[in-house]
Amino acid sequence: MKSCKDGSFSNGGLRQYGNIEISPSAAVLNYGQGIIENLKAYKNKNGSIILFRVEENGLRMRVGADRMCMPAPTIEQFVEAVTSTVSANERWVPPSNKGFLHVQPLLMGNGPVLSLIPAPEFIFLIYVTPVRNYFEGGLKPINVVVENDIHRATLGGVGNIKAIGNYAGIMKAQAKAKANGFSDVLYLDSIHNRYLEEFSTANVFIVKDNTISTPVLGRTILPGITRKSIIEIAHRQGFKVEERLVPVEELFDADEVFCCGNAVCVLPVGSITLNGKRVDYGESGFVVS
């Protein structure tokens, strides 16, 4: 789809996957004016294809686009575009429990821009690709390190939306962690360097007795759709759920820690290392996660 002058979007259409034409001076290339989303299409055991809360992705893209001075498709257009793209690629959706079809919507500013102003034209596109289950043979708890120097978001920034520029800035910390044998990085807030924020691409939860805690949404925490769903399910199952500032010290007293997001769904944390001190989880199993 392409935007019209009034900010609305044409209905667009399907085309074969391939390179796209874009201006070298496009706002997305020079000023990072772009938003991404991520979701999955699965096959049920009966062979039907399902999507999970896709309208929530459409809403989140509209909220993020507003922050980035971008028009966005309506939620109805978003849902229709996703379902049309998935339907056209039905043959690539893996069998039930064998994987999923990764769906990647992208909204970006195109057209020549020589100064810091919104793009004159915007492109909305979706591409898909089949992916195997990340954890064949069962979930494997991950080992994580807490990052003290690099921060994924700052107050007043865009950490609470899926701006395309949010991710390159944490690649250095992630690469260092993986070189040291860790699976991922857990980031702290940029003001006090004490309160939990997120993993590289996932929200964090900690469990203590019958209470499940997660960092409160604000100007730095991404409102994950899996996060929202877990909170709803936890309430229904009788857990006390707290959305609040979570000090890093609470990691050492937690019964469980887990992360959640579109890619990992729900994944238990086996250990967390902070300043060389390691705490292990799962002695009694990962019951809650």
Side-chain angles (χ1 to χ4, degrees):
M1 297 180 189
K2 288 188 177 181
S3 64
C4 304
K5 289 184 178 179
D6 64 358
S8 64
F9 277 78
S10 62
N11 286 327
L14 295 163
R15 64 173 65 178
Q16 292 292 326
Y17 181 86
N19 294 338
I20 60 172
E21 187 173 305
I22 191 167
S23 169
S25 55
V28 68
L29 297 179
N30 294 275
Y31 299 108
Q33 194 178 26
I35 295 277
I36 61 168
E37 273 297 331
N38 311 99
L39 58 154
K40 300 173 182 175
Y42 299 89
K43 263 191 183 170
N44 265 338
K45 290 182 179 179
N46 63 10
S48 61
I49 297 173
I50 54 173
L51 295 162
F52 182 70
R53 308 190 86 168
V54 61
E55 69 284 347
E56 295 278 353
N57 295 90
L59 174 60
R60 188 168 65 181
M61 176 169 271
R62 287 185 62 81
V63 171
D66 180 70
R67 173 65 178 84
M68 301 284 283
C69 293
M70 306 168 71
T74 65
I75 295 175
E76 293 76 15
Q77 283 180 312
F78 183 95
V79 173
E80 174 61 27
V82 170
T83 54
S84 295
T85 308
V86 170
S87 295
N89 290 277
E90 181 178 357
R91 68 193 185 280
W92 295 110
V93 183
S96 177
N97 297 323
K98 295 295 184 181
F100 55 88
L101 190 72
H102 176 83
V103 184
Q104 183 94 5
L106 169 62
L107 178 65
M108 59 184 179
N110 192 21
V113 173
L114 295 177
S115 58
L116 190 57
I117 58 173
E121 175 188 89
F122 296 88
I123 295 174
F124 172 72
L125 61 85
I126 301 171
Y127 62 89
V128 299
T129 187
V131 178
R132 290 180 179 174
N133 281 336
Y134 288 124
F135 309 103
E136 294 184 0
L139 292 178
K140 296 179 177 62
I142 59 173
N143 299 311
V144 175
V145 63
V146 177
E147 174 60 45
N148 283 306
D149 297 321
I150 294 175
H151 299 280
R152 58 165 293 280
T154 58
L155 284 175
V158 290
N160 61 337
I161 65 172
K162 291 185 74 71
I164 60 171
N166 285 350
Y167 302 94
I170 60 175
M171 288 180 181
K172 189 176 184 67
Q174 194 177 41
K176 178 183 175 183
K178 291 188 174 182
N180 289 324
F182 297 102
S183 307
D184 203 354
V185 178
L186 180 57
Y187 295 90
L188 303 177
D189 75 288
S190 62
I191 295 179
H192 306 284
N193 209 40
R194 182 191 176 198
Y195 298 103
L196 304 186
E197 292 245 313
E198 291 183 24
F199 294 97
S200 298
T201 57
N203 293 111
V204 59
F205 286 82
I206 70 169
V207 181
K208 181 64 178 176
D209 298 325
N210 197 51
T211 300
I212 302 176
S213 303
T214 190
V216 63
L217 294 181
R219 290 177 288 173
T220 59
I221 306 295
L222 186 73
I225 297 162
T226 313
R227 174 190 182 276
K228 177 180 179 179
S229 304
I230 286 174
I231 290 172
E232 293 171 1
I233 292 168
H235 278 303
R236 291 174 191 168
Q237 291 190 354
F239 288 98
K240 179 182 179 182
V241 180
E242 295 181 345
E243 297 180 75
R244 59 179 173 85
L245 293 176
V246 182
V248 68
E249 297 86 4
E250 291 190 22
L251 292 173
F252 294 98
D253 192 41
D255 298 328
E256 290 181 53
V257 177
F258 63 90
C259 62
C260 71
N262 176 68
V264 300
C265 199
V266 179
L267 184 62
V269 174
S271 75
I272 293 181
T273 300
L274 170 65
N275 295 327
K277 182 180 179 182
R278 171 171 165 152
V279 57
D280 291 284
Y281 307 101
E283 195 171 302
S284 303
F286 299 95
V287 179
V288 176
S289 52

